[in-house]
């Protein structure tokens, strides 16, 4: 981590960003993020991947027990010249390959790390979803404010056209002035549909994030509080239908006001980013695969047993099983020799994959540092730009008011009036955009710090309706009976092999410590 970043207490620092969107003090944003965490389809898919990984772990865990347990039987008739015979056989076979070299224990370790990686991946999706909801909401409000500004400036420019028309009718100006005024008006009107397209696209993006249709998002975006702010916003921008004022721009703004941000960064938060946890756990899972591959270098030892009956009699005779009982039991071993490098090359393959996973982790750390640095530096520069843009708006509005008065009194030419109107239009639109940029940089910073996934701790990652649907389709036994909720922390399977939250993860056996005891220390 960069030397300028601190190493504070992770738990305390994490509390500051658990629900970072609350700092915008926007009830609509809070509602949208909460609903996205409940309804987002990507989160639903991530939750089902956790369940899939649990089943894979269960399959790996089953190899600790006898791998072969088979009941078989047959009934046949055989013909030999003119004679025919009936044959009946029934047997039970069992075989258990002992995990002397850690083949199965390392496989369980790999599956367990992969399962925790799916939980970290779920958290990573939650971070992205919260940030995307906030970003698109900020964009929606920014476009909405720019549309309000555009419509108000259209009103101003229409008034300029009307004044110019009166001047032309009086013979004070030429047709050139009228056409210039209309050209500026039409250009501003032509830009309005593009703003409306951007606002609709932001709304539709929110609909996808919430897992609903676009029209279902509208009730959340429209409220009495927003309507009152729009009304106050419009009133605050005009006086006597002629003059403009730049006072209280932010008081009436629709763009969520960005909270103040500290320029210091806690490196411990960055290292707790879910995507880094995913990369770390994937490396752990791949490390265990090396042990699985290495076990093939050594002989495997098994215990086998078979008990059954096999009777053959002439056709028409009754089967007699009294003297047809067979029983066999004993140890066995097998060893893959003369593999011509296949086994060793497979070990080398898994080792190369492990090294690649370490490289991927290092890259993700660098990307995390890059994202945090970009967000911090951009936030500081956008704040400076915002202050300058506000000064620019104040000067532009003041210049417009002066030019309008002087033009009505015949003190300035029409071109100077048009220039002041155009400058004011650009300045107000730029200021609305910069407010959105500042808010979006705050969102980007919290996303870069990996904040927001803690809000889902203790919540179900599979909906009750989905559980019911799956139970009706497939026999899940008791696998879905326990609450399917997310744990607050991910254990390190190396240091803490036993899952910390067995009830939440659906584990009801007590074999985790036994698995750890039998694992190959390598």
């Amino acid at each position: 981590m960069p030397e300028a970043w601190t190493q504070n207490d992770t738990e305390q620092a994490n509390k500051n960003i658990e629900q970072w969107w609350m700092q915008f003090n926007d009830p609509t944003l809070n509602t949208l993020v909460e609903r996205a965490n409940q309804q987002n389809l990507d989160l639903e898919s991530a939750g089902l991947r956790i369940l899939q990984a649990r089943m894979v772990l269960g399959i790996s865990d089953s190899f600790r027990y006898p791998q072969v347990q088979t009941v078989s039987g047959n009934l046949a008739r055989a013909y030999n010249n003119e004679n025919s015979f009936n044959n009946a056989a029934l047997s039970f076979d069992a075989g258990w390959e002992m995990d002397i070299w850690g083949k199965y224990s390392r496989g369980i370790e790999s599956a367990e790390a992969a399962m925790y990686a799916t939980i970290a991946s779920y958290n990573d999706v939650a971070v992205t979803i919260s940030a995307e909801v906030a970003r698109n909401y900020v964009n929606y409000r920014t476009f909405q404010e720019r549309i309000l500004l555009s419509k108000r400036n259209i009103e101003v420019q229409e008034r300029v056209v009307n004044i110019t028309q009166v001047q032309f009718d009086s013979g004070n100006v030429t047709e050139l002035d009228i056409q210039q005024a209309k050209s500026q008006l039409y250009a501003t009107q032509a830009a309005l549909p593009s703003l409306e397209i951007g606002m609709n696209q932001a709304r539709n993006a929110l609909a996808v994030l919430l897992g609903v249709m676009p029209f279902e998002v509208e009730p959340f975006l429209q409220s009495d509080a927003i309507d009152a702010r729009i009304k106050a916003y419009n009133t605050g921008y005009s006086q006597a239908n002629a003059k403009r004022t730049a006072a209280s721009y932010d008081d009436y703004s629709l763009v969520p006001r960005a909270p103040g941000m500290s320029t210091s960064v806690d490196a411990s938060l960055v290292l707790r980013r879910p995507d880094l946890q995913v990369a770390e756990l994937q490396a752990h899972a791949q490390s265990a695969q090396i042990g699985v591959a290495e076990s093939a270098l050594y002989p495997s030892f098994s215990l086998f047993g078979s008990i059954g009956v096999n009777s053959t009699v002439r056709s028409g005779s009754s089967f007699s099983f009294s003297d047809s009982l067979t029983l066999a039991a004993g140890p066995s071993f097998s060893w893959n020799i003369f593999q011509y490098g296949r086994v060793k090359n497979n070990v080398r393959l898994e080792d190369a994959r492990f090294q690649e996973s370490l490289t991927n982790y290092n890259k993700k750390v660098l990307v995390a540092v890059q994202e945090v640095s970009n967000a911090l530096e951009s936030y500081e520069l956008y704040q400076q730009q915002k202050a300058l843009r506000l000064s620019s708006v104040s000067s532009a509005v003041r210049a417009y008011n002066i030019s309008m008065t002087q033009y009505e009194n015949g003190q300035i030419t029409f071109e100077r009036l048009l220039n002041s109107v155009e400058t004011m239009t650009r300045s107000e639109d730029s200021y609305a955009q910069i407010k959105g940029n500042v808010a979006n940089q705050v969102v980007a910073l919290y996303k870069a710090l990996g904040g927001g996934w803690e809000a889902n701790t203790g919540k179900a990652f599979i909906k009750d309706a989905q559980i019911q649907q799956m139970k009706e389709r497939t026999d899940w036994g008791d696998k879905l009976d326990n609450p399917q909720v997310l744990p607050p922390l991910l254990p390190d399977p190396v240091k803490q092999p036993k899952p910390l939250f067995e009830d939440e993860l659906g584990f009801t056996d007590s074999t985790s410590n036994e698995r750890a005891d039998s694992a190959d220390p390598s």
Side-chain angles (χ1 to χ4, degrees):
M1 294 292 105
E3 293 181 1
W5 293 9
T6 62
Q7 292 283 351
N8 295 330
D9 178 67
T10 302
E11 183 176 356
Q12 181 60 38
N14 194 57
K15 291 180 180 179
N16 299 329
I17 63 170
E18 287 183 358
Q19 293 180 306
W20 53 264
W21 51 88
M22 294 285 193
Q23 299 182 44
F24 284 92
N25 295 318
D26 191 313
T28 300
L29 175 59
N30 298 341
T31 301
L32 291 174
V33 173
E34 181 180 357
R35 286 188 171 269
N37 284 329
Q38 296 173 353
Q39 302 171 187
N40 182 266
L41 299 182
D42 288 330
L43 275 178
E44 286 188 15
S45 297
L48 291 169
R49 287 194 291 272
I50 295 176
L51 188 61
Q52 295 168 31
R54 279 181 49 200
M55 297 307 105
V56 171
L57 176 58
I59 293 172
S60 299
D61 190 64
S62 67
F63 284 105
R64 296 186 301 109
Y65 306 99
Q67 295 86 15
V68 178
Q69 300 175 77
T70 306
V71 176
S72 60
N74 66 73
L75 181 63
R77 172 170 290 187
Y79 294 91
N80 183 11
N81 295 328
E82 297 180 354
N83 300 319
S84 61
F85 301 88
N86 293 330
N87 175 262
L90 179 66
S91 66
F92 171 73
D93 301 297
W96 181 25
E97 180 183 346
M98 293 174 287
D99 193 21
I100 295 177
W101 313 114
K103 173 182 178 180
Y104 297 121
S105 60
R106 295 305 300 273
I108 293 170
E109 179 186 342
S110 178
E112 195 169 52
M115 184 200 67
Y116 288 127
T118 62
I119 299 176
S121 179
Y122 182 98
N123 293 336
D124 188 39
V125 173
V127 169
T128 301
I129 295 304
S130 299
E132 284 300 297
V133 168
R135 186 181 67 84
N136 282 284
Y137 178 71
V138 168
N139 290 343
Y140 179 89
R141 293 302 186 201
T142 302
F143 278 116
Q144 189 177 26
E145 182 166 316
R146 292 176 67 191
I147 289 172
L148 289 175
L149 284 168
S150 180
K151 289 180 177 179
R152 175 151 292 283
N153 283 315
I154 288 173
E155 293 177 4
V156 171
Q157 293 172 20
E158 286 175 342
R159 183 173 181 274
V160 171
V161 170
N162 293 334
I163 292 174
T164 308
Q165 184 67 50
V166 171
Q167 296 278 19
F168 174 74
D169 294 339
S170 302
N172 296 327
V173 297
T174 65
E175 184 183 357
L176 177 61
D177 293 336
I178 293 180
Q179 296 306 325
Q180 286 179 330
K182 288 182 177 179
S183 176
Q184 188 180 64
L185 171 63
Y186 296 150
T188 305
Q189 290 175 331
L192 186 58
S194 297
L195 300 178
E196 292 174 340
I197 289 173
M199 186 176 72
N200 291 336
Q201 289 176 342
R203 179 204 62 192
N204 295 341
L206 286 172
V208 173
L209 291 168
L210 267 64
V212 298
M213 291 295 179
F215 67 87
E216 297 178 80
V217 180
E218 293 289 351
F220 298 107
L221 299 174
Q222 298 174 352
S223 64
D224 294 339
I226 292 296
D227 292 340
R229 191 180 300 179
I230 291 175
K231 183 178 180 180
Y233 184 91
N234 286 333
T235 303
Y237 266 93
S238 65
Q239 290 180 351
N241 257 345
K243 306 300 181 184
R244 299 288 295 277
T245 174
S248 302
Y249 258 70
D250 289 339
D251 292 342
Y252 306 120
S253 177
L254 300 180
V255 181
R257 183 174 297 179
M261 296 293 297
S262 172
T263 56
S264 63
V265 175
D266 185 353
S268 59
L269 292 178
V270 180
L271 293 176
R272 290 192 68 198
R273 279 176 41 143
D275 61 331
L276 294 186
Q277 293 180 346
V278 172
E280 182 179 359
L281 288 162
Q282 287 175 341
H284 180 183
Q286 182 55 42
S287 173
Q289 287 298 319
I290 299 175
V292 175
E294 284 180 338
S295 66
L297 292 169
Y298 311 106
S300 60
F301 297 92
S302 303
L303 297 176
F304 72 92
S306 177
I307 184 171
V309 291
N310 191 327
S311 178
T312 302
V313 297
R314 287 183 176 275
S315 298
S317 301
S318 299
F319 287 109
S320 175
F321 296 105
S322 59
D323 58 350
S324 59
L325 179 65
T326 60
L327 176 64
S332 68
F333 84 97
S334 63
W335 195 351
N336 293 322
I337 60 174
F338 304 123
Q339 292 297 306
Y340 308 102
R342 284 195 294 270
V343 175
K344 285 191 174 182
N345 283 330
N346 188 46
V347 175
R348 294 162 184 158
L349 171 64
E350 299 298 342
D351 183 75
R353 287 173 175 169
F354 171 62
Q355 193 64 39
E356 180 186 7
S357 67
L358 296 180
T359 301
N360 290 337
Y361 177 82
N362 291 335
K363 179 182 176 180
K364 285 185 178 294
V365 172
L366 292 177
V367 170
V369 173
Q370 175 194 22
E371 291 176 351
V372 173
S373 299
N374 287 346
L376 264 182
E377 294 166 1
S378 299
Y379 172 77
E380 294 177 359
L381 294 174
Y382 275 133
Q383 284 283 40
Q384 298 175 20
Q385 190 177 18
K386 179 184 174 184
L388 294 172
R389 287 292 186 187
L390 181 57
S391 299
S392 174
V393 170
S394 300
S395 298
V397 170
R398 175 63 177 161
Y400 161 74
N401 290 332
I402 294 173
S403 64
M404 178 63 75
T405 301
Q406 291 181 346
Y407 179 74
E408 291 173 338
N409 294 330
Q411 296 175 310
I412 62 172
T413 63
F414 179 73
E415 287 78 7
R416 294 196 65 182
L417 173 62
L418 284 184
N419 288 338
S420 67
V421 173
E422 184 179 1
T423 301
M424 180 183 66
T425 301
R426 289 200 309 265
S427 295
E428 289 183 329
D429 187 71
S430 296
Y431 184 62
Q433 291 184 62
I434 200 64
K435 287 190 292 185
N437 290 340
V438 171
N440 275 327
Q441 287 308 312
V442 173
V443 173
L445 178 58
Y446 280 118
K447 179 184 178 183
L449 292 174
W453 61 266
E454 298 88 348
N456 289 322
T457 297
K459 293 183 179 180
F461 59 84
I462 301 181
K463 295 181 179 179
D464 292 339
Q466 289 180 322
I467 291 177
Q468 185 61 34
Q469 189 178 32
M470 295 167 69
K471 283 185 173 181
E472 291 175 356
R473 186 172 56 243
T474 305
D475 179 14
W476 281 86
D478 60 354
K479 297 296 183 181
L480 297 178
D481 291 344
N482 294 326
Q484 308 298 309
V485 298
L486 294 167
L489 292 174
L490 291 179
D492 184 339
V494 172
K495 300 177 182 177
Q496 180 70 43
K498 185 179 177 63
L500 293 180
F501 301 93
E502 289 191 300
D503 292 340
E504 289 86 344
L505 292 176
F507 297 112
T508 55
D509 61 78
S510 58
T511 60
S512 299
N513 284 332
E514 298 173 6
R515 295 201 301 267
D517 293 340
S518 62
D520 183 357
S522 63

